[in-house]
């Protein structure tokens, strides 16, 4: 199974290989949106061929570069890369577990489909947990989708389980302040001061205006994934562990689930509304913004759902 990987600086994005054709560029209307210096609004066309993934220049300013030479098109197979602006585009082969994690990231609302998908293709969550570490990570992800990620500052046991599943030394959730500092919300283990400073630097580099996008960055033994102002950081015993695909995929998934604002009002129940209020630190204006409703509607939701008004 193949997927597309885009790296620029310390940041990495992953995309499913399109079934037909997909447009890649910096403009939001593209199928594959990549914002990095040197990438045009409509940069390239990506399509699957029997021999690999073809990338065709769409008349972009900086074009496609392979081996230092500008080309009109290229066919990528695993291990091969081409340059687009300041970013690099490649193809990597992934396991069925990694593909399932990616599916859960991109289709978070399909909760009912996930258990049947697991049973039909990979086995039950219990079976997965008894296999290799990537399968155990997928089993944990399925359970979080089904039972929820819990309230911030009230899920120490879950964070410890996530840390152990990742094989990390330290795991912590952060909030990035307007001044660029990282405030630790929850932690299992302890980051060194130099680690925290590096994580803050990575968080600043990874800042994007789109709160729906999960951003993943890395440096040495550190991985950082987040949505908007909320981030999840992990430190591993060895740098090679931080580079493994399934660990990065699990951290992306967790950043999506632990910090996922509710957008569908039909799905708002007392626990979900409480979680959003907790993310907003009791700030009703911020909570309403995360929910995508007015403060008046939020008040009605809190009254109807009997959620504590913080």
């Amino acid at each position: 199974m193949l997927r597309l990987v885009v790296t620029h600086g310390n940041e990495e994005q992953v995309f499913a290989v399109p079934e037909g054709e997909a447009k890649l560029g910096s403009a939001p209307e593209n199928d594959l949106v990549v914002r990095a210096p040197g990438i045009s609004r409509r940069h390239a066309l990506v399509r699957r061929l029997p021999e690999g993934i073809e990338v065709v220049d769409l008349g972009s300013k900086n074009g496609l570069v392979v081996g230092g030479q500008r080309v009109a098109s290229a066919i990528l197979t695993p291990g091969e890369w081409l340059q687009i602006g300041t970013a690099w585009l490649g193809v990597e082969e992934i396991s069925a577990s990694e593909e399932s994690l990616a599916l859960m990231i991109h289709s978070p609302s399909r909760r009912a489909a996930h258990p049947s998908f697991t049973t039909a293709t990979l086995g039950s969550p219990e079976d997965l947990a008894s296999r290799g570490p990537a399968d155990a990570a997928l089993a944990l992800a399925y359970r979080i989708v089904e039972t929820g990620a819990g309230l911030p500052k009230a899920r120490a046991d879950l964070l410890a389980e996530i840390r152990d599943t990742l094989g990390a030394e330290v795991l912590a959730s952060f909030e990035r302040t307007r001044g660029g500092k990282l405030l630790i919300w929850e932690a299992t283990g302890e980051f060194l001061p130099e680690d925290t400073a590096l994580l803050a630097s990575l968080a600043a580099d990874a800042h994007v205006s789109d709160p729906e996008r999960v951003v993943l960055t890395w440096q040495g033994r550190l991985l950082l994934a987040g949505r908007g102002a909320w981030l999840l950081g992990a430190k591993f015993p060895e740098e090679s562990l931080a580079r493994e695909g399934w660990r990065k995929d699990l951290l992306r998934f967790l950043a999506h689930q632990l910090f996922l604002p509710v957008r569908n009002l039909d799905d708002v129940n007392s626990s979900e509304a409480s979680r959003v209020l907790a993310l907003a630190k009791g700030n009703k204006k911020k909570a309403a913004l995360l929910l995508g409703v007015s403060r008046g509607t939020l008040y009605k939701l809190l009254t109807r759902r009997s959620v504590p008004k913080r």
Side-chain angles (χ1 to χ4, degrees), residues 134-267:
D135 294 322
L138 179 59
L140 173 62
Y142 275 117
R143 200 180 80 233
I144 289 174
V145 166
E146 285 303 296
T147 63
L151 293 175
K153 299 185 179 180
R155 48 192 181 197
D157 291 344
L158 176 62
L159 257 66
E161 183 180 1
I162 292 170
R163 179 200 61 195
D164 294 343
T165 301
L166 282 168
E169 293 179 334
V170 188
L171 180 74
S173 64
F174 304 90
E175 181 182 11
R176 182 177 49 234
T177 68
R178 290 185 178 181
K181 295 182 179 179
L182 290 185
L183 298 179
I184 296 179
W185 277 49
E186 311 154 284
T188 173
E190 186 174 352
F191 284 109
L192 298 175
E194 54 266 34
D195 294 331
T196 305
L198 182 53
L199 287 167
S201 176
L202 290 174
D205 292 341
H207 178 69
V208 294
S209 58
D210 182 4
E212 294 301 303
R213 177 180 161 197
V214 173
V215 176
L216 181 112
T217 61
W218 70 88
Q219 184 72 47
R221 294 189 289 151
L222 298 174
L223 275 180
L224 185 71
R227 294 165 54 90
W230 298 288
L231 303 134
L232 193 64
K235 180 179 179 180
F236 294 88
E238 300 175 8
E239 183 173 341
S240 60
L241 298 180
R243 297 295 169 269
E244 284 193 74
W246 71 265
R247 288 185 167 90
K248 292 187 286 187
D249 285 335
L250 181 58
L251 207 67
R252 284 189 186 94
F253 167 80
L254 292 167
H256 192 283
Q257 290 295 313
L258 268 63
F259 311 127
L260 177 66
V262 177
R263 293 295 180 182
N264 184 350
L265 294 184
D266 293 336
D267 292 337

